Amino acid sequence: MFETGIYVNRRNSLRSLISSGVVLFLGNTESPVNYAGNAYRFRQDSNFLYFFGLNLPQLAGVIDIEEGTDCIYGNDPDIEDIIWSGNLPSMEQLAAKAGISSVSPRRDLKIKLLSAIRKGRKIHFAPPYRGDSKIILSDLLGIRIAELGNYSSKALIKSIVQLRSEKEACEVEEIERACDTGYEMHTLAMRLCKPGIFEYQITGAMEGIAGAANGMTSFPSIQSQNSEILHNHSHNNILQAGKMMVTDAGAETCAGYASDFTRTIPVDGKFTSRQLDIYNTVLAANNLAQRISKPGKLYYDVHLAAAKTVAEGLKNIGLMKGNVDDAVQSGAHALFFPHGLGHMMGLDVHDMEDLGEKYVGYDDEIQRSTQFGTANLRLGRRLKKNFVLTVEPGIYFIPALIAKWKSEKINSSFINFQKVEEYIDFGGIRLEDNIIITDEGCRRLGKKRIPITKEEVEEEMSK
Ligand code: GLY
Ligand code: MN
């Protein structure tokens, strides 16, 4: 947990943004794997963590705007809890860490909410994303589960986005810690990668590093020699010489902050010149995006600039043709780069995605594109100082997508399909770094950049 004042300040800031009503933050419950007593590793709700800091199940926090009070709802440990789990702090001790002196047993939460509802007061809550939380909220508020989303508070969503988007110094320190663990994860994967071993042998060893840093992975690792599959969570292949292995993985610190890096490396430790041509195009797009990201810049424009670098590189190789600006305008690059350049990152690896990307990544000024590829951009709005985000361009040869575009003649004036056929087994390349927006530009997070140039990658792989 951060020091108490951080949570007090955050709740006070929220109070200044919400004019009236009762704000309810439901902490997460334990989530069973195969029977109630065998739960997944506990992960607290990020909004609860942000405003109350307590990393334990079965808690709720209430901010009463008119009363000016904050209260934690939860039960003190009983003798059974102490027998199985050892001495546990009282609710009063826990709440004090978050700067809260008012605690109530969990059963009182419903009484508090019902009394507010009877008086016609607004109950602000964020859209629930877990089944358990939906059931609890439905019971507490008397709203049908299917309708909870409609009743979630837009004012609360916008206020949380406003506060959580600009990272505080203590948060940046945590994210840097997650990045340093990410560095260790990725460089280990580079050293272990060689023909003849199973992908899962690398995945298991790499994920152990996140645990050994007293945290866990920030999302299920993507690690595969089928590097053209954007989100591939199976790791069952034996690595083959000539293929490239993509590793998209990050760490989450014990305080809940994430990193998210991607590297793509030649399985046998040396890039071929064909691989390198594509690789250096992706690297150029990554570097360009970092050069031009700064306060006031639309990330949508940074995405399009990276897409132009991709299209230019592919044109030089003979895979695309025609005017690059026109090609990107008509979305032709998306045959090879069908996802967005990046997303916000913080307490969630896709930060605040539970609140809705239209509030996190877009705003009144800019809405999500409907064009194939660019429609997948999670962050398009103007960057501000202390935003933390990813930069992750890629180029992929996805056989089914190529076949579809070819047969339907999609963007055929910009694509050299005959040449593309020669790359059908190429796989894909994605290179992802994590940045923070500074006064005048941006800074890469983490003490060292994970090896990324040909020379750096080949050297790390040779160790
Ligand atoms: N690292 C996976 C993603 O950003 O979707
Ligand atoms: Mn990412």
Side-chain angles (χ1 to χ4, degrees), residues 378-454:
R378 300 180 191 279
L379 171 63
R381 71 179 165 127
R382 263 182 221 289
L383 300 173
K384 282 191 184 166
K385 188 179 170 188
N386 292 330
F387 278 17
V388 167
L389 49 134
T390 68
V391 175
E392 48 180 311
I395 294 178
Y396 313 85
F397 294 84
I398 303 167
L401 185 60
I402 293 167
K404 177 176 163 62
W405 278 40
K406 189 179 174 191
S407 75
E408 294 175 21
K409 297 189 171 47
I410 297 173
N411 280 312
S412 53
S413 55
F414 298 112
I415 312 281
N416 184 351
F417 283 107
Q418 210 177 341
K419 180 89 174 167
V420 171
E421 292 291 333
E422 293 170 24
Y423 281 71
I424 208 80
D425 296 328
F426 183 91
I429 293 172
R430 177 164 67 255
L431 296 172
E432 177 176 24
D433 288 318
N434 304 160
I435 62 170
I436 180 164
I437 303 301
T438 57
D439 280 321
E440 295 186 343
C442 74
R443 173 173 75 77
R444 230 178 352 262
L445 291 163
K447 284 196 197 83
K448 289 182 280 184
R449 192 179 197 183
I450 297 170
I452 197 162
T453 64
K454 167 196 187 290

XYZ file of all heavy atoms in Angstrom, residues 378-454:
635
model
N -7.174 1.224 -29.180
C -7.824 1.405 -27.875
C -7.673 2.822 -27.338
O -8.387 3.229 -26.421
C -7.216 0.442 -26.854
C -7.369 -1.022 -27.213
C -6.730 -1.903 -26.153
N -6.645 -3.270 -26.596
C -7.635 -4.151 -26.566
N -8.819 -3.780 -26.118
N -7.460 -5.387 -26.991
N -6.674 3.546 -27.857
C -6.378 4.892 -27.353
C -6.195 5.828 -28.537
O -5.281 5.632 -29.344
C -5.083 4.836 -26.511
C -4.471 6.163 -26.073
C -5.422 6.927 -25.146
C -3.143 5.927 -25.342
N -7.077 6.812 -28.655
C -6.966 7.743 -29.776
C -6.858 9.187 -29.328
O -6.488 10.058 -30.093
N -7.155 9.448 -28.038
C -7.322 10.854 -27.639
C -5.986 11.570 -27.437
O -4.928 10.960 -27.533
C -8.183 10.932 -26.385
C -7.558 10.441 -25.116
C -8.573 10.633 -23.994
N -8.211 9.894 -22.819
C -8.111 10.472 -21.611
N -8.316 11.756 -21.464
N -7.805 9.729 -20.562
N -6.095 12.868 -27.157
C -4.898 13.689 -26.963
C -4.140 13.245 -25.726
O -4.733 13.034 -24.664
C -5.308 15.161 -26.794
C -5.203 15.901 -28.075
C -5.555 17.364 -27.976
N -6.322 17.715 -29.150
C -5.822 17.811 -30.374
N -4.543 17.619 -30.586
N -6.607 18.092 -31.394
N -2.824 13.120 -25.885
C -1.980 12.680 -24.777
C -1.782 13.829 -23.794
O -1.770 14.989 -24.182
C -0.631 12.203 -25.320
C -0.715 11.030 -26.303
C 0.652 10.738 -26.922
C -1.270 9.781 -25.612
N -1.635 13.440 -22.533
C -1.355 14.444 -21.498
C -0.147 13.985 -20.701
O 0.136 12.778 -20.628
C -2.539 14.548 -20.518
C -3.691 15.312 -21.026
C -4.658 15.560 -19.872
C -5.902 16.250 -20.358
N -6.960 16.195 -19.373
N 0.512 14.937 -20.072
C 1.653 14.609 -19.216
C 1.227 13.551 -18.184
O 0.122 13.633 -17.633
C 2.121 15.877 -18.501
C 3.411 15.661 -17.743
C 3.877 16.929 -17.048
C 5.020 16.569 -16.125
N 5.422 17.663 -15.262
N 2.107 12.588 -17.975
C 1.918 11.513 -16.986
C 0.917 10.432 -17.410
O 0.541 9.604 -16.591
C 1.569 12.059 -15.590
C 2.759 12.789 -14.994
O 3.905 12.449 -15.300
N 2.509 13.773 -14.158
N 0.471 10.462 -18.655
C -0.216 9.278 -19.179
C 0.846 8.191 -19.355
O 1.960 8.478 -19.812
C -0.820 9.548 -20.573
C -2.157 10.239 -20.570
C -2.633 10.914 -19.455
C -2.958 10.225 -21.712
C -3.867 11.550 -19.478
C -4.194 10.855 -21.744
C -4.644 11.521 -20.629
N 0.491 6.970 -19.007
C 1.390 5.829 -19.251
C 0.717 4.942 -20.288
O -0.474 4.623 -20.148
C 1.670 5.061 -17.942
C 2.333 3.720 -18.213
C 2.559 5.895 -17.023
N 1.460 4.578 -21.340
C 0.834 3.827 -22.427
C 1.820 2.905 -23.115
O 3.027 2.982 -22.866
C 0.207 4.792 -23.442
C 1.070 5.934 -23.938
C 0.963 6.045 -25.450
C 0.583 7.225 -23.294
N 1.283 2.051 -23.962
C 2.146 1.153 -24.721
C 2.277 1.663 -26.152
O 1.407 2.368 -26.670
C 1.582 -0.285 -24.772
O 0.385 -0.294 -25.557
C 1.293 -0.842 -23.388
N 3.415 1.271 -26.751
C 3.675 1.536 -28.169
C 3.961 0.173 -28.784
O 4.965 -0.449 -28.440
C 4.914 2.438 -28.316
C 5.280 2.615 -29.782
C 4.696 3.782 -27.646
N 3.051 -0.343 -29.608
C 3.209 -1.735 -30.044
C 2.789 -1.976 -31.496
O 1.817 -2.686 -31.753
C 2.455 -2.679 -29.104
C 1.024 -2.293 -28.768
C 0.380 -3.308 -27.822
O 0.461 -4.516 -28.100
O -0.229 -2.870 -26.820
N 3.537 -1.407 -32.427
C 3.215 -1.705 -33.826
C 3.577 -3.148 -34.174
O 4.382 -3.779 -33.483
C 4.109 -0.730 -34.600
C 5.289 -0.527 -33.711
C 4.751 -0.600 -32.300
N 2.996 -3.641 -35.258
C 3.316 -4.998 -35.696
C 3.058 -5.171 -37.182
O 2.365 -4.357 -37.811
N 3.673 -6.198 -37.730
C 3.382 -6.623 -39.114
C 3.176 -8.132 -39.077
O 4.019 -8.861 -38.534
C 4.547 -6.281 -40.070
C 4.703 -4.762 -40.204
C 4.322 -6.918 -41.448
C 5.866 -4.321 -41.096
N 2.069 -8.584 -39.649
C 1.700 -10.008 -39.586
C 1.277 -10.483 -40.967
O 0.683 -9.721 -41.737
C 0.520 -10.219 -38.614
C 0.697 -9.500 -37.293
C 0.330 -8.154 -37.166
C 1.255 -10.140 -36.200
C 0.525 -7.475 -35.973
C 1.440 -9.467 -35.004
C 1.078 -8.134 -34.899
O 1.285 -7.474 -33.721
N 1.524 -11.738 -41.217
C 1.035 -12.376 -42.441
C 0.034 -13.442 -41.986
O 0.425 -14.537 -41.562
C 2.198 -12.958 -43.250
C 3.108 -11.867 -43.765
C 4.121 -11.347 -42.969
C 2.901 -11.322 -45.029
C 4.931 -10.311 -43.432
C 3.705 -10.280 -45.498
C 4.729 -9.772 -44.691
N -1.233 -13.086 -42.000
C -2.293 -13.940 -41.475
C -2.962 -14.601 -42.681
O -3.707 -13.936 -43.427
C -3.308 -13.102 -40.655
C -2.570 -12.366 -39.521
C -4.443 -13.967 -40.122
C -3.384 -11.271 -38.839
N -2.696 -15.908 -42.901
C -3.145 -16.533 -44.154
C -4.639 -16.335 -44.442
O -5.002 -16.017 -45.586
C -2.783 -18.011 -43.958
C -1.596 -17.963 -43.029
C -1.870 -16.812 -42.093
N -5.484 -16.490 -43.445
C -6.928 -16.386 -43.703
C -7.314 -14.970 -44.116
O -8.190 -14.770 -44.979
C -7.717 -16.802 -42.459
N -6.673 -13.971 -43.517
C -6.986 -12.582 -43.845
C -6.484 -12.236 -45.254
O -7.171 -11.565 -46.032
C -6.355 -11.644 -42.798
C -6.689 -10.158 -42.917
C -8.193 -9.908 -42.801
C -5.947 -9.348 -41.849
N -5.288 -12.737 -45.566
C -4.738 -12.489 -46.905
C -5.657 -13.119 -47.965
O -5.991 -12.494 -48.977
C -3.298 -13.059 -47.003
C -2.365 -12.247 -46.083
C -2.792 -13.048 -48.444
C -1.010 -12.878 -45.832
N -6.096 -14.358 -47.697
C -6.976 -15.047 -48.658
C -8.278 -14.267 -48.853
O -8.772 -14.114 -49.976
C -7.264 -16.467 -48.167
N -8.817 -13.756 -47.748
C -10.085 -13.002 -47.830
C -9.899 -11.726 -48.653
O -10.684 -11.450 -49.561
C -10.556 -12.669 -46.405
C -11.824 -11.832 -46.318
C -12.238 -11.653 -44.866
C -13.240 -10.511 -44.690
N -14.498 -10.705 -45.384
N -8.872 -10.954 -48.335
C -8.657 -9.684 -49.052
C -8.379 -9.950 -50.535
O -8.835 -9.226 -51.400
C -7.486 -8.906 -48.427
C -7.869 -8.113 -47.217
C -8.726 -8.504 -46.222
C -7.415 -6.803 -46.856
N -8.826 -7.518 -45.265
C -8.027 -6.466 -45.625
C -6.541 -5.883 -47.430
C -7.788 -5.248 -44.980
C -6.304 -4.660 -46.786
C -6.923 -4.351 -45.569
N -7.598 -11.023 -50.784
C -7.254 -11.320 -52.179
C -8.523 -11.685 -52.960
O -8.782 -11.141 -54.033
C -6.233 -12.466 -52.216
C -5.669 -12.688 -53.592
C -4.644 -13.795 -53.608
C -4.227 -14.054 -55.039
N -3.443 -15.273 -55.166
N -9.326 -12.588 -52.377
C -10.499 -13.040 -53.135
C -11.534 -11.932 -53.268
O -12.242 -11.846 -54.273
C -11.104 -14.293 -52.496
O -11.790 -13.931 -51.333
N -11.605 -11.049 -52.284
C -12.593 -9.957 -52.361
C -11.999 -8.678 -52.968
O -12.654 -7.642 -52.976
C -13.155 -9.682 -50.957
C -13.969 -10.853 -50.422
C -14.442 -10.648 -48.980
O -14.502 -9.505 -48.505
O -14.731 -11.683 -48.328
N -10.738 -8.791 -53.372
C -10.029 -7.649 -53.997
C -10.070 -6.389 -53.117
O -10.253 -5.271 -53.606
C -10.609 -7.351 -55.381
C -10.449 -8.489 -56.370
C -10.843 -8.048 -57.774
C -10.502 -9.047 -58.842
N -10.869 -10.452 -58.574
N -9.883 -6.592 -51.843
C -9.913 -5.449 -50.908
C -8.584 -4.708 -51.011
O -7.514 -5.307 -50.892
C -10.179 -5.932 -49.463
C -11.555 -6.598 -49.370
C -10.070 -4.786 -48.462
C -11.869 -7.270 -48.056
N -8.636 -3.425 -51.202
C -7.443 -2.578 -51.307
C -6.419 -3.137 -52.302
O -5.207 -2.987 -52.105
C -6.791 -2.403 -49.925
C -7.518 -1.356 -49.095
O -7.801 -0.264 -49.583
N -7.830 -1.686 -47.859
N -6.900 -3.749 -53.359
C -5.970 -4.429 -54.284
C -5.068 -3.435 -55.039
O -4.015 -3.816 -55.520
C -6.729 -5.328 -55.254
O -7.724 -4.582 -55.879
N -5.459 -2.157 -55.064
C -4.561 -1.198 -55.731
C -3.340 -0.860 -54.862
O -2.394 -0.242 -55.348
C -5.326 0.071 -56.105
O -5.946 0.596 -54.963
N -3.370 -1.262 -53.594
C -2.237 -0.956 -52.714
C -1.464 -2.199 -52.273
O -0.462 -2.090 -51.585
C -2.726 -0.232 -51.443
C -3.385 1.077 -51.730
C -4.752 1.246 -51.509
C -2.652 2.152 -52.222
C -5.368 2.459 -51.764
C -3.264 3.368 -52.485
C -4.626 3.517 -52.261
N -1.958 -3.386 -52.613
C -1.337 -4.626 -52.116
C -0.814 -5.429 -53.303
O -1.557 -5.660 -54.267
C -2.368 -5.520 -51.359
C -3.197 -4.726 -50.339
C -1.686 -6.734 -50.724
C -2.550 -4.414 -49.042
N 0.415 -5.868 -53.180
C 0.977 -6.744 -54.211
C 0.761 -8.199 -53.748
O 1.634 -8.806 -53.129
C 2.469 -6.432 -54.391
C 3.075 -7.239 -55.519
O 2.440 -8.150 -56.063
N 4.298 -6.919 -55.883
N -0.448 -8.723 -54.059
C -0.821 -10.032 -53.515
C 0.118 -11.149 -53.962
O 0.353 -12.096 -53.220
C -2.274 -10.369 -53.878
C -3.277 -9.642 -53.024
C -4.028 -8.589 -53.536
C -3.462 -10.000 -51.698
C -4.946 -7.911 -52.740
C -4.391 -9.325 -50.896
C -5.116 -8.275 -51.418
N 0.652 -11.017 -55.182
C 1.556 -12.064 -55.675
C 2.786 -12.184 -54.773
O 3.191 -13.273 -54.377
C 1.986 -11.719 -57.094
C 2.275 -12.946 -57.907
C 2.644 -12.558 -59.348
O 2.340 -11.446 -59.795
N 3.288 -13.463 -60.033
N 3.339 -11.027 -54.414
C 4.515 -11.007 -53.532
C 4.124 -11.463 -52.110
O 4.872 -12.178 -51.442
C 5.085 -9.588 -53.506
C 6.308 -9.409 -52.642
C 7.585 -9.666 -53.407
C 8.810 -9.324 -52.553
N 10.035 -9.834 -53.133
N 2.937 -11.041 -51.662
C 2.483 -11.399 -50.308
C 2.414 -12.931 -50.163
O 2.747 -13.480 -49.114
C 1.110 -10.742 -50.002
C 0.518 -11.265 -48.704
C 1.246 -9.214 -49.941
N 1.993 -13.607 -51.242
C 1.906 -15.082 -51.201
C 3.250 -15.701 -50.811
O 3.303 -16.738 -50.155
C 1.497 -15.636 -52.578
C 0.080 -15.296 -53.000
C -0.988 -16.005 -52.183
O -0.695 -17.088 -51.658
O -2.102 -15.460 -52.065
N 4.343 -15.033 -51.202
C 5.678 -15.578 -50.883
C 5.963 -15.514 -49.380
O 6.880 -16.153 -48.886
C 6.772 -14.779 -51.625
C 6.750 -14.945 -53.127
C 7.699 -13.947 -53.809
O 8.669 -13.464 -53.182
O 7.438 -13.640 -54.994
N 5.183 -14.693 -48.660
C 5.418 -14.496 -47.219
C 4.384 -15.233 -46.367
O 4.308 -15.006 -45.164
C 5.375 -12.997 -46.899
C 6.640 -12.261 -47.262
C 6.992 -12.034 -48.594
C 7.505 -11.797 -46.278
C 8.157 -11.356 -48.936
C 8.671 -11.115 -46.599
C 8.984 -10.899 -47.929
O 10.142 -10.226 -48.250
N 3.613 -16.126 -47.017
C 2.437 -16.684 -46.329
C 2.817 -17.435 -45.046
O 2.050 -17.490 -44.094
C 1.604 -17.552 -47.319
C 0.141 -17.559 -46.917
C 2.139 -18.947 -47.497
C -0.602 -16.328 -47.337
N 4.033 -18.019 -45.003
C 4.468 -18.743 -43.795
C 5.393 -17.910 -42.912
O 6.065 -18.439 -42.029
C 5.248 -20.016 -44.190
C 4.368 -20.999 -44.922
O 3.166 -21.039 -44.616
O 4.880 -21.716 -45.816
N 5.441 -16.619 -43.155
C 6.427 -15.779 -42.467
C 6.161 -15.678 -40.969
O 7.068 -15.618 -40.152
C 6.406 -14.379 -43.095
C 7.425 -13.435 -42.531
C 8.688 -13.323 -43.095
C 7.129 -12.640 -41.409
C 9.640 -12.449 -42.574
C 8.068 -11.773 -40.886
C 9.319 -11.675 -41.460
N 4.882 -15.639 -40.578
C 4.532 -15.366 -39.172
C 4.267 -13.893 -38.986
O 3.720 -13.235 -39.887
N 4.667 -13.342 -37.858
C 4.418 -11.921 -37.594
C 5.454 -11.371 -36.643
O 6.182 -12.129 -36.000
N 5.484 -10.051 -36.564
C 6.448 -9.380 -35.675
C 5.726 -8.249 -34.957
O 5.058 -7.425 -35.598
C 7.643 -8.805 -36.489
C 8.471 -9.960 -37.074
C 8.512 -7.897 -35.607
C 9.550 -9.518 -38.047
N 5.863 -8.226 -33.634
C 5.347 -7.084 -32.852
C 6.439 -6.662 -31.867
O 7.130 -7.523 -31.306
C 4.062 -7.484 -32.096
C 3.506 -6.400 -31.213
C 2.039 -6.637 -30.769
N 1.837 -7.762 -29.881
C 1.311 -8.925 -30.242
N 0.936 -9.128 -31.500
N 1.155 -9.903 -29.375
N 6.602 -5.364 -31.705
C 7.622 -4.834 -30.788
C 6.954 -3.790 -29.910
O 6.483 -2.763 -30.403
C 8.779 -4.210 -31.572
C 9.576 -5.200 -32.447
C 10.561 -4.450 -33.338
C 10.298 -6.229 -31.576
N 6.918 -4.057 -28.607
C 6.127 -3.222 -27.694
C 6.980 -2.695 -26.549
O 7.670 -3.450 -25.864
C 4.975 -4.070 -27.117
C 4.116 -3.339 -26.095
C 2.933 -4.187 -25.617
O 3.014 -5.434 -25.708
O 1.944 -3.604 -25.151
N 6.922 -1.382 -26.354
C 7.561 -0.732 -25.207
C 6.502 0.004 -24.407
O 5.388 0.214 -24.893
C 8.625 0.268 -25.696
C 9.859 -0.425 -26.255
O 10.305 -1.416 -25.654
O 10.370 0.025 -27.301
N 6.880 0.439 -23.215
C 5.974 1.172 -22.330
C 6.545 2.568 -22.099
O 7.732 2.695 -21.791
C 5.817 0.450 -20.982
C 5.334 -0.986 -21.123
O 5.506 -1.776 -20.212
N 4.737 -1.346 -22.255
N 5.719 3.590 -22.260
C 6.212 4.969 -22.143
C 5.349 5.798 -21.197
O 4.188 5.470 -20.942
C 6.272 5.681 -23.524
C 4.869 5.798 -24.147
C 7.238 4.957 -24.470
C 4.818 6.701 -25.391
N 5.971 6.881 -20.708
C 5.205 7.893 -19.956
C 5.362 9.213 -20.696
O 6.447 9.530 -21.190
C 5.674 7.988 -18.485
C 4.864 9.053 -17.743
C 7.173 8.304 -18.369
C 4.984 8.957 -16.222
N 4.282 9.963 -20.786
C 4.328 11.269 -21.452
C 4.942 12.276 -20.463
O 4.519 12.347 -19.301
C 2.908 11.708 -21.901
C 2.288 10.637 -22.829
C 2.941 13.067 -22.590
C 3.066 10.334 -24.098
N 5.926 13.009 -20.946
C 6.635 13.980 -20.102
C 6.235 15.399 -20.519
O 5.312 15.576 -21.323
C 8.158 13.789 -20.273
O 8.462 13.927 -21.669
C 8.599 12.417 -19.794
N 6.959 16.415 -20.024
C 6.621 17.812 -20.348
C 6.613 18.061 -21.853
O 5.742 18.743 -22.378
C 7.649 18.760 -19.718
C 7.345 18.971 -18.245
O 6.154 19.079 -17.920
O 8.291 19.003 -17.448
N 7.634 17.501 -22.509
C 7.803 17.851 -23.924
C 7.766 16.678 -24.877
O 7.835 16.845 -26.080
C 9.137 18.581 -24.101
C 9.110 19.895 -23.374
C 10.316 20.750 -23.589
O 11.345 20.232 -24.048
O 10.202 21.942 -23.273
N 7.742 15.473 -24.351
C 7.774 14.304 -25.227
C 7.345 13.081 -24.435
O 6.299 13.091 -23.787
N 8.166 12.052 -24.486
C 7.872 10.871 -23.685
C 9.175 10.214 -23.259
O 10.242 10.517 -23.802
C 6.989 9.891 -24.453
S 7.848 8.983 -25.749
N 9.060 9.327 -22.273
C 10.230 8.614 -21.760
C 9.848 7.151 -21.673
O 8.731 6.813 -21.271
C 10.543 9.183 -20.371
C 11.620 8.468 -19.602
C 11.952 9.227 -18.310
N 10.949 9.089 -17.252
C 10.811 8.017 -16.484
N 11.565 6.952 -16.661
N 9.875 7.981 -15.539
N 10.794 6.293 -22.089
C 10.553 4.856 -21.969
C 10.657 4.452 -20.513
O 11.522 4.941 -19.801
C 11.597 4.091 -22.781
C 11.012 3.068 -23.687
C 11.981 2.310 -24.545
N 13.336 2.740 -24.541
C 13.873 3.526 -25.479
N 13.141 3.975 -26.465
N 15.146 3.857 -25.408
N 9.780 3.553 -20.082
C 9.787 3.118 -18.683
C 10.640 1.866 -18.511
O 10.735 1.025 -19.405
C 8.347 2.864 -18.213
C 7.527 4.153 -18.110
C 6.037 3.836 -18.053
C 7.945 4.964 -16.892
N 11.228 1.748 -17.328
C 12.139 0.634 -17.057
C 13.570 1.132 -17.144
O 13.869 2.059 -17.896
N 14.445 0.510 -16.331
C 15.841 0.989 -16.290
C 16.512 0.854 -17.646
O 17.235 1.722 -18.081
C 16.632 0.166 -15.260
C 16.354 0.535 -13.815
C 17.446 -0.029 -12.909
C 16.983 -0.038 -11.460
N 16.163 -1.224 -11.118
N 16.273 -0.274 -18.304
C 16.932 -0.524 -19.597
C 15.876 -0.956 -20.611
O 14.912 -1.632 -20.255
C 17.942 -1.686 -19.445
C 19.180 -1.321 -18.636
C 20.142 -2.494 -18.574
C 19.712 -3.514 -17.532
N 20.631 -4.633 -17.342
N 16.123 -0.593 -21.868
C 15.223 -1.078 -22.913
C 15.519 -2.564 -23.126
O 16.702 -2.957 -23.236
C 15.465 -0.305 -24.215
C 14.394 -0.533 -25.258
C 14.655 0.272 -26.524
N 13.452 0.365 -27.339
C 13.406 0.966 -28.540
N 14.493 1.533 -29.041
N 12.275 1.011 -29.227
N 14.497 -3.360 -23.207
C 14.689 -4.790 -23.503
C 15.358 -4.877 -24.873
O 14.982 -4.137 -25.789
C 13.322 -5.515 -23.510
C 12.678 -5.442 -22.121
C 13.485 -6.974 -23.935
C 11.232 -5.907 -22.086
N 16.391 -5.754 -25.031
C 17.094 -5.824 -26.320
C 16.105 -5.781 -27.484
O 15.111 -6.517 -27.488
C 17.814 -7.170 -26.250
C 18.067 -7.356 -24.783
C 16.878 -6.750 -24.082
N 16.420 -4.915 -28.460
C 15.458 -4.734 -29.558
C 16.135 -4.647 -30.919
O 15.529 -5.035 -31.930
C 14.534 -3.505 -29.290
C 13.275 -3.547 -30.175
C 15.297 -2.191 -29.438
C 12.146 -2.676 -29.706
N 17.382 -4.147 -30.981
C 18.028 -4.114 -32.297
C 18.488 -5.529 -32.625
O 18.623 -6.381 -31.734
C 19.247 -3.178 -32.309
O 20.227 -3.711 -31.409
C 18.888 -1.761 -31.903
N 18.766 -5.752 -33.903
C 19.281 -7.068 -34.338
C 20.462 -7.479 -33.459
O 20.505 -8.594 -32.924
C 19.709 -6.974 -35.807
C 20.538 -8.142 -36.310
C 21.241 -7.786 -37.618
C 21.957 -8.973 -38.245
N 23.130 -9.428 -37.515
